[in-house]
Each structure stands twice: as structure tokens, then as C-alpha cells.
Amino acid sequence: MRQSTMQFRTTVDIPSPDFSIAPCEEMLFVGSCFADNIGRQFVEEKFRATVNPFGVMYNPASILHTVSRTDVAPRCAVFTLGTNHVYVLKETGEIVDNCCKRPQRLFEERELTVEECKDYLLQAVDILRRRRSDVRIIVTVSPIRYAKYGYHGSQLSKATLLLAADRLVKEVNGAHDGAATVTYFPAYEIVNDELRDYRFYADDMLHPSPLAVEYIWQRMVEVFFSAEAKAFLKEWASIKKGLAHRPFNADSDEYRSFVAKLHADAERLRQRYPDMPL
């Protein structure tokens, strides 16, 4: 019987980066609510991750504002770009991160150009490089669509961000002897080209479903994690699953012994990885 070679699904190719993420790495996630989703996954897996410390930041200017305000000096940072739309306070001309429920008449909405987006991100990269010279930045575009712009408008916004991310990668890496300080991760392409089905969206048909977020997380693990980090995840997964277990009888000697063993296993893991958060 002839073996079929037909392919019914496209897989987004992700080039191997020149760095890897170690267990319990110190990380910073800034950007849209997609950054929240992925960042929380890193927190659950015991990375020292700071996730949107001043709230969700949708555009490159607001990402810069967060990086400027925080004193975190991560080994790896993830910028997730949501939109190029910003709100400007008319009185000062300042781009605001949050309107704080002030009247809409005080603000003007406008769109950042590709060059403006790139420049804001470049400033954020430079700040992090001054804090830690070996920092690596992963930049990605959120796959979440913004219906309020209209779907064509949402696509134009994403196109602006994609072009800005590409310019950022080329400019930063080209200026540092080819060192890949900034790496692009194709979350947007994975959802739109690889998953490409409404079953991978939440009920609003705009946000990725938990299954889609989990898949993107797995692709990040596959591409960016060191062998040691993957081994750590596997070991921690067994402990985490046990700790999440809900017993029929929490007062039984058998369950108490089970929990004591889990805590002992977690403590042994922490001794091997002193940076592992409690």
C-alpha cells in the first residue's frame, strides 16, 4: 500500500535562537493580555518572572513606560505587542498608558507609525541592555484581534507591529556584531497560520483559547528552553500535579504522608535550584 505524503496542516518554522532559557531564569513580561497569559505560565513553572508590573500595556510606547519604571534587570524579557493605537492627553501631548476613567474628550486617539513603534521598542531594549549586558529580548505580536477597529483596521495595526518588530530585530542585532540580542517569536503566525480554526479561540472568537495558549507555550519550550530547563519542568510537573490533587479525605494518614513526600521532593528540587521561588 502506498504511504500518503499529503499534509493537512502547516507548521510555522521557528529558527533556533543563539541562547536558551535556564531553569528559574529571571524574566520580565511586558505587553498585552497575551503577555499576561504566557507570563503566568512561566510563574507557575517556577521561573522568577515579573509580569506586567504596572498593568497590561498594549502599545510599544506603554511597553517603554513600564520598562523605564521598573528596576528589574532580567536575563530574558518578552515584549508582546498588541496594537499601534495610543491615547494622547490633549493638554500635554503625552501618550498615556491608562485613561484612569477620565472623560474621553480629554484624549485623542492616534496610530503610531512603524518607525515610531520601532523607536519606542529600541529605547526599551537599550534600557535593559544598560542594566544587564547579556539580556536577551523576545518580541512577539499578540494574536488577539481588536474588533473595535474593524477587522481590516485590526489587520493594519498588526501589520504595523510586525514591520516594527522586524526592523527592531535587524537594527539591534546588526549593530552588535551579529549578536542576537532581540529574537522574534511568531505567536501571531502560529495562531493564524498553524492553528487556524475557531476551536482555538475563546467564546468571544477574538482571544486565543486556553488550549491555544498552552500550544504556544509548548512551542516556546521547544525552541527556547535549555535541556536542563526541560528536565526541570518534567520534574516539577510531577510535584505540581500532586499538590493540585484534591483528596477524598484530607485528614487521612495516607494523604498526609503523600503531601509530606511532595513537600520533601519540592525541597530537594529547591536545594538543587536555589533560585526556585517558594
Side-chain angles (χ1 to χ4, degrees):
M1 181 182 294
R2 186 175 64 182
Q3 186 175 1
S4 173
T5 58
M6 296 177 69
Q7 298 292 324
F8 295 99
R9 173 170 167 266
T10 57
T11 301
V12 175
D13 179 56
I14 308 175
S16 297
D18 67 351
F19 74 99
S20 60
I21 296 174
C24 310
E25 193 87 87
E26 185 172 11
M27 303 186 69
L28 173 65
F29 291 81
V30 185
S32 71
C33 49
F34 184 73
D36 271 357
N37 292 334
I38 293 295
R40 280 197 300 268
Q41 186 81 40
F42 276 82
V43 172
E44 290 176 6
E45 302 302 340
K46 293 300 180 180
F47 288 84
R48 293 173 292 150
T50 300
V51 183
N52 277 335
F54 303 108
V56 173
M57 299 291 160
Y58 294 99
N59 63 79
S62 293
I63 288 175
L64 170 60
H65 295 163
T66 288
V67 172
S68 300
R69 291 172 64 190
T70 183
D71 59 358
V72 178
R75 169 70 173 81
C76 180
V78 180
F79 296 161
T80 300
L81 316 179
T83 178
N84 70 325
H85 288 244
V86 297
Y87 286 92
V88 179
L89 185 61
K90 292 179 181 178
E91 183 179 1
T92 64
E94 171 193 9
I95 294 175
V96 298
D97 304 326
N98 191 312
C99 295
C100 299
K101 298 183 179 179
R102 287 176 287 181
Q104 186 176 354
R105 58 182 169 76
L106 299 178
F107 301 93
E108 177 183 47
E109 183 178 5
R110 76 173 186 89
E111 299 172 35
L112 299 177
T113 66
V114 172
E115 195 66 18
E116 286 174 321
C117 289
K118 185 267 295 181
D119 285 344
Y120 283 123
L121 295 170
L122 182 59
Q123 291 177 62
V125 170
D126 288 342
I127 290 170
L128 292 177
R129 282 180 59 86
R130 288 197 295 270
R131 293 177 187 167
R132 182 165 180 166
S133 60
D134 65 343
V135 68
R136 293 294 181 266
I137 292 98
I138 299 170
V139 62
T140 188
V141 173
S142 169
I144 298 170
R145 295 177 296 167
Y146 293 93
K148 68 177 182 179
Y149 304 147
Y151 294 118
H152 179 62
S154 179
Q155 289 293 80
L156 291 175
S157 176
K158 298 297 183 182
T160 299
L161 297 173
L162 289 166
L163 288 168
D166 186 64
R167 287 190 189 179
L168 178 74
V169 170
K170 291 175 179 176
E171 183 168 329
V172 173
N173 296 345
H176 295 98
D177 300 322
T181 298
V182 182
T183 300
Y184 178 73
F185 177 74
Y188 179 82
E189 292 82 353
I190 288 172
V191 171
N192 287 279
D193 296 323
E194 186 170 340
L195 301 183
R196 201 193 307 173
D197 192 301
Y198 277 111
R199 67 193 166 116
F200 295 112
Y201 284 84
D203 290 344
D204 64 1
M205 296 293 125
L206 298 174
H207 290 73
S209 69
L211 180 62
V213 173
E214 174 64 23
Y215 182 78
I216 292 169
W217 157 258
Q218 290 177 7
R219 293 298 309 270
M220 292 191 79
V221 171
E222 170 193 328
V223 172
F224 289 106
F225 282 29
S226 66
E228 186 182 13
K230 292 175 183 176
F232 173 88
L233 284 185
K234 186 175 181 180
E235 195 168 350
W236 167 242
S238 177
I239 299 171
K240 183 174 68 170
K241 183 178 179 181
L243 292 172
H245 175 69
R246 293 187 176 184
F248 289 110
N249 183 4
D251 295 324
S252 68
D253 291 339
E254 181 181 7
Y255 181 67
R256 287 174 179 171
S257 176
F258 173 71
V259 171
K261 180 181 182 304
L262 286 175
H263 284 294
D265 290 343
E267 183 56 34
R268 281 193 290 271
L269 189 62
R270 188 169 287 110
Q271 289 175 2
R272 286 163 44 209
Y273 298 96
D275 291 330
M276 177 179 170
L278 295 174

